[in-house]
Amino acid sequence: MSPHLPFNVSNLLNHTGPSVAERWDHISQSGLVITFPVSNWVAISGLLVLLYRTVAVRLFTPYTMALFWFLDEGLRGWQADQLRVAMVNTSGPLDTLISTPVWRSMFEGLTDSNVRRLKERGIAWVWWVGALFFALFPFGVPFIASKVIPTVPGRPGWGDSCVSNIQFQSDKLAMRYHASLALDMLRQADVSNAYNYSGTSAALVGLTAKKDRVMVSADCPDWAPVCDKTNPLRVDVDYWLKPSDLSIAVEREGKDIEFGVLNTCYKVEQHTKLAPPDINTLGAVYWLMYGGNDIAGLPSVTDLYTDAELYGAGYYLIPAYNIRDPTVRSWRPNNTLSHNGDRTLLVYHIGAVGSEGPSNDPVFATLDHTNLNANDSSNYYWPVNTAVPIMCNTTFSVCRSNRQSCDNLNGTLALNAYTNRITDNTISKGFLELLGDEMAFPLLYEMARPSDAVLAGHSVTYGFVQAAPGLISGHSEIVRLVLAGRTRLTTAAIRAVDGFAKYILPGAEVMSSESPALHSMCSATLVPDNTRMSTTFFPPLGFLIFGLLAILLTFSGPVWERLFWKQLCVFTIRWRLRMVGQLHRETVEKTGGWRGGLEAWPSGVGNVEGVGRLKEGGWGYGRDVLLGYVPRDTTQEVRGEVEKRFARSNSEIESSSLLLPADEKGDRHPSPHKEV
């Protein structure tokens, strides 16, 4: 079988990184837990995407300007000039990704090994890759938020009723409650978990805690004088629980508490006695003599079976228990079974089921021939024993990381006394109280009560034929019952928050125990709820404040321009004004091809050759630097002069741009431009 705990917080949501249990611990310990519908979280994620989209767009401008300053004035060429114009005029990262000048700088002239050309290409690549990052970054915000903001599915158990130790005024209601709960736990263990009952180690079974232990052997315990040595079986199953396994977030001082349930089970020798003839009305009746079990007139009889069982159907299991409490009416084991923990006797009645194949399993062993007697013509292998008793002893252990040794407890009474000695009503005390209440009866006894308690019965056909004898085993039966009990413990906190309503008939009169420690525990319990999310207040607030501060920082540009106007604005404005010419050239290229020189700027409508040129000449930033511009009413006057300058510069410097005056080497012509 493959079971798994549906209510274990580590299984509530498939996340990478810290487990749900670790995130819930962090959220609960923050002291400010907020919960909201999942639909609201989707809306919040969308708003965060819009917020950081704005951040990305506005931060892209200073990123561009930082790269812009690496294109120093000595780096000239028509492609470099176009890149400058694009950088100072592009409004956002998406425009950059499809910008023609950027693609020209990245891919045209790849065979040119000129160092300046390589620098221009490198800047173009860095700018384009940065634009790609700024364009995609906002869409990764939900993923980043899932890492920065700890969230868990579900809600805290605030304000819910928190009860434990359910008691009923009617035995019928109590029987229904215990049977329904045990059946549900068995089915959860079978269907929902990742257990392999036939495994012979903790890892093979599916137990993952460091101290978990599963051992199957043929060695009888030293303290078990009536262990069956003819075909022995011993199964040890230890499992350890932390509050996080129950969806409980504990205080820091109790975070490392571990609770261990230690089970040792072994096959018991056949101690039977044939009942007197006056009792054998339906054939021979055999008494199992392991101590009194409140059978009227039979103070030493634990259970019984008859020859008539051979004509019945299916397997069934009769359990008996003793928790060393003289005030509780229960089985009273004889001295040979008087062990030091909670004791459970499991009597497997298997005589009614024949097998399609032989088996030497300690519990389901069959005869080595198919005939039960001379008159039996069936082809089935019948069991050696009609009833097989298994004895289990259960003890507990409480470990804390700040102590060198663990506290070993011999049963439920010792656990309750240990818990009562804890004076503070902490979450960890509520954790121990809850476990003690859940184990008022031994878990093995509780899980053995439903008719579904025998796993081998799942492969019985026609009621009396075992169809898979090679797949059933006694140790699988024991491991299953132990892990079903573990499932009951791991779901206990959520059931306590819910008031155990799932298993109680509406209107039934019940009594339960409450305590401050239990209420503290319930408040720290994560209740599964697919419609709600829980988180702590501070990470979302910090995520929001960071985004708002980043936006506010981008609005500080005018302040920096005011303080460093010449350094930040003069150079930028001069290239921003040339956007008209660049757009003109790109438009002409798309429609009919550019007929001018490769490096030539357009000299047609909107001649911009001299626009933005420094009035004083040169390319430094002197104290009295002034900008020149071409007024609209003088465009025709200067066109001839501009065209002459274009022709002269194209013949002198092939790779230079006419964004500069034609003769860079000092022979400057008088500028026709007026001062601003």
Side-chain angles (χ1 to χ4, degrees), residues 318-511:
I318 301 297
Y321 78 95
N322 182 278
I323 59 171
R324 310 170 66 86
D325 186 350
T327 65
V328 177
R329 291 181 58 188
S330 62
W331 169 52
R332 296 175 299 281
N334 57 37
N335 292 335
T336 61
L337 300 174
S338 183
H339 306 320
N340 67 343
D342 289 345
R343 292 158 289 182
T344 305
L345 185 69
L346 306 172
V347 182
Y348 284 86
H349 291 254
I350 62 175
V353 180
S355 177
E356 291 188 345
S359 173
N360 61 355
D361 181 79
V363 173
F364 299 99
T366 64
L367 300 172
D368 58 0
H369 54 83
T370 58
N371 293 335
L372 184 63
N373 52 54
N375 298 323
D376 184 11
S377 60
S378 67
N379 293 322
Y380 302 124
Y381 294 82
W382 295 96
V384 174
N385 297 307
T386 302
V388 180
I390 302 292
M391 179 65 188
C392 295
N393 186 63
T394 302
T395 59
F396 311 114
S397 185
V398 178
C399 299
R400 300 174 186 269
S401 60
N402 58 354
R403 298 181 184 178
Q404 294 182 350
S405 61
C406 299
D407 298 317
N408 298 317
L409 308 171
N410 295 331
T412 300
L413 290 181
L415 172 60
N416 292 337
Y418 176 86
T419 304
N420 291 334
R421 290 194 296 269
I422 301 175
T423 57
D424 297 332
N425 293 316
T426 58
I427 298 173
S428 55
K429 179 182 179 179
F431 166 68
L432 295 177
E433 279 188 10
L434 178 68
L435 296 181
D437 290 340
E438 285 292 302
M439 295 183 292
F441 301 103
L443 293 175
L444 283 167
Y445 169 78
E446 292 277 30
M447 298 302 107
R449 297 171 75 175
S451 60
D452 194 43
V454 183
L455 180 63
H458 293 182
S459 54
V460 172
T461 60
Y462 306 111
F464 64 92
V465 178
Q466 176 52 254
L471 300 179
I472 63 174
S473 65
H475 89 264
S476 296
E477 299 290 335
I478 297 171
V479 171
R480 178 176 182 250
L481 294 179
V482 172
L483 296 182
R486 183 184 186 276
T487 304
R488 173 167 172 169
L489 294 184
T490 56
T491 61
I494 295 172
R495 286 185 284 110
V497 171
D498 190 42
F500 295 85
K502 179 179 178 181
Y503 308 99
I504 301 176
L505 287 174
E509 296 183 2
V510 299
M511 295 181 294

Side-chain angles (χ1 to χ4, degrees), residues 43-352:
I44 291 172
S45 298
L47 292 176
L48 288 176
V49 170
L50 293 178
L51 171 64
Y52 278 88
R53 167 65 179 167
T54 304
V55 171
V57 171
R58 294 195 62 83
L59 287 180
F60 184 69
T61 298
Y63 169 77
T64 300
M65 290 300 97
L67 293 177
F68 183 84
W69 291 105
F70 285 97
L71 284 170
D72 55 79
E73 280 299 316
L75 182 60
R76 301 311 305 274
W78 74 277
Q79 290 171 314
D81 288 345
Q82 283 199 338
L83 181 61
R84 287 187 179 92
V85 174
M87 293 180 77
V88 298
N89 287 281
T90 302
S91 59
L94 294 179
D95 293 337
T96 301
L97 295 177
I98 59 174
S99 173
T100 301
V102 178
W103 286 89
R104 281 174 174 165
S105 295
M106 288 193 299
F107 294 107
E108 288 188 7
L110 294 179
T111 58
D112 188 357
S113 60
N114 184 280
V115 175
R116 296 190 176 189
R117 185 75 178 88
L118 293 177
K119 184 176 182 180
E120 169 210 331
R121 179 174 294 121
I123 291 175
W125 270 105
V126 172
W127 190 38
W128 190 89
V129 172
L132 182 65
F133 169 78
F134 280 102
L136 298 180
F137 165 74
F139 300 101
V141 168
F143 175 78
I144 298 172
S146 68
K147 301 298 182 182
V148 176
I149 303 175
T151 59
V152 290
R155 59 178 179 82
W158 298 332
D160 295 280
S161 59
C162 187
V163 299
S164 184
N165 193 20
I166 300 294
Q167 298 179 8
F168 297 85
Q169 296 181 353
S170 166
D171 290 340
K172 183 178 180 180
L173 290 175
M175 184 180 300
R176 181 189 184 281
Y177 166 77
H178 289 288
S180 300
L181 178 59
L183 183 61
D184 193 21
M185 297 302 104
L186 287 166
R187 289 177 176 176
Q188 286 190 34
D190 290 344
V191 176
S192 305
N193 296 334
Y195 299 136
N196 171 24
Y197 298 137
S198 61
T200 56
S201 67
L204 293 176
V205 168
L207 294 173
T208 58
K210 183 178 181 180
K211 296 181 182 179
D212 288 346
R213 183 174 72 101
V214 174
M215 185 182 71
V216 180
S217 71
D219 299 326
C220 289
D222 297 336
W223 39 265
V226 292
C227 176
D228 184 6
K229 297 180 176 61
T230 59
N231 190 6
L233 171 67
R234 174 180 175 176
V235 180
D236 294 88
V237 183
D238 302 342
Y239 59 85
W240 293 80
L241 299 174
K242 294 181 178 181
S244 59
D245 295 314
L246 279 68
S247 308
I248 303 171
V250 300
E251 63 281 352
R252 294 184 184 277
E253 58 271 18
K255 186 175 182 179
D256 296 324
I257 188 173
E258 289 184 298
F259 181 81
V261 181
L262 318 177
N263 301 276
T264 298
C265 300
Y266 62 91
K267 182 182 175 185
V268 183
E269 293 176 349
Q270 289 281 337
H271 286 191
T272 60
K273 181 179 179 180
L274 181 64
D278 59 330
I279 298 179
N280 298 339
T281 58
L282 297 175
V285 176
Y286 299 91
W287 291 335
L288 296 175
M289 310 298 290
Y290 300 108
N293 196 23
D294 287 334
I295 300 177
L298 302 174
S300 299
V301 177
T302 307
D303 192 14
L304 56 85
Y305 64 91
T306 71
D307 286 342
E309 290 187 22
L310 300 177
Y311 306 101
Y315 303 115
Y316 67 94
L317 177 58
I318 301 297
Y321 78 95
N322 182 278
I323 59 171
R324 310 170 66 86
D325 186 350
T327 65
V328 177
R329 291 181 58 188
S330 62
W331 169 52
R332 296 175 299 281
N334 57 37
N335 292 335
T336 61
L337 300 174
S338 183
H339 306 320
N340 67 343
D342 289 345
R343 292 158 289 182
T344 305
L345 185 69
L346 306 172
V347 182
Y348 284 86
H349 291 254
I350 62 175

Side-chain angles (χ1 to χ4, degrees), residues 481-623:
L481 294 179
V482 172
L483 296 182
R486 183 184 186 276
T487 304
R488 173 167 172 169
L489 294 184
T490 56
T491 61
I494 295 172
R495 286 185 284 110
V497 171
D498 190 42
F500 295 85
K502 179 179 178 181
Y503 308 99
I504 301 176
L505 287 174
E509 296 183 2
V510 299
M511 295 181 294
S512 60
S513 62
E514 299 183 37
S515 73
L518 277 175
H519 278 282
S520 298
M521 180 214 70
C522 285
S523 296
T525 299
L526 180 65
V527 180
D529 188 343
N530 292 331
T531 66
R532 303 192 69 82
M533 297 279 289
S534 295
T535 185
T536 180
F537 177 73
F538 295 107
L541 180 63
F543 205 78
L544 177 62
I545 291 177
F546 179 81
L548 293 177
L549 289 178
I551 290 180
L552 291 176
L553 182 63
T554 62
F555 282 98
S556 64
V559 177
W560 298 105
E561 292 177 359
R562 180 74 175 178
L563 297 176
F564 306 100
W565 187 86
K566 293 178 181 178
Q567 291 84 343
L568 294 176
C569 296
V570 172
F571 196 30
T572 304
I573 290 175
R574 183 158 45 81
W575 291 101
R576 182 168 294 149
L577 293 175
R578 299 198 175 205
M579 187 62 185
V580 176
Q582 180 151 308
L583 290 175
H584 176 71
R585 172 168 179 164
E586 291 181 9
T587 302
V588 173
E589 286 177 336
K590 292 178 181 179
T591 56
W594 181 250
R595 295 184 175 84
L598 181 64
E599 300 86 359
W601 286 89
S603 57
V605 178
N607 174 30
V608 293
E609 185 276 333
V611 176
R613 186 175 61 82
L614 289 176
K615 173 65 177 177
E616 299 297 325
W619 300 99
Y621 302 101
R623 176 179 298 180

Side-chain angles (χ1 to χ4, degrees), residues 76-78 81 578 599-601 608-610 642-643 645-650 653 656-662:
R76 301 311 305 274
W78 74 277
D81 288 345
R578 299 198 175 205
E599 300 86 359
W601 286 89
V608 293
E609 185 276 333
V642 169
E643 291 178 350
R645 193 179 306 167
F646 282 163
R648 186 163 55 252
S649 63
N650 285 337
I653 306 174
S656 65
S657 169
L658 293 184
L659 289 170
L660 294 172

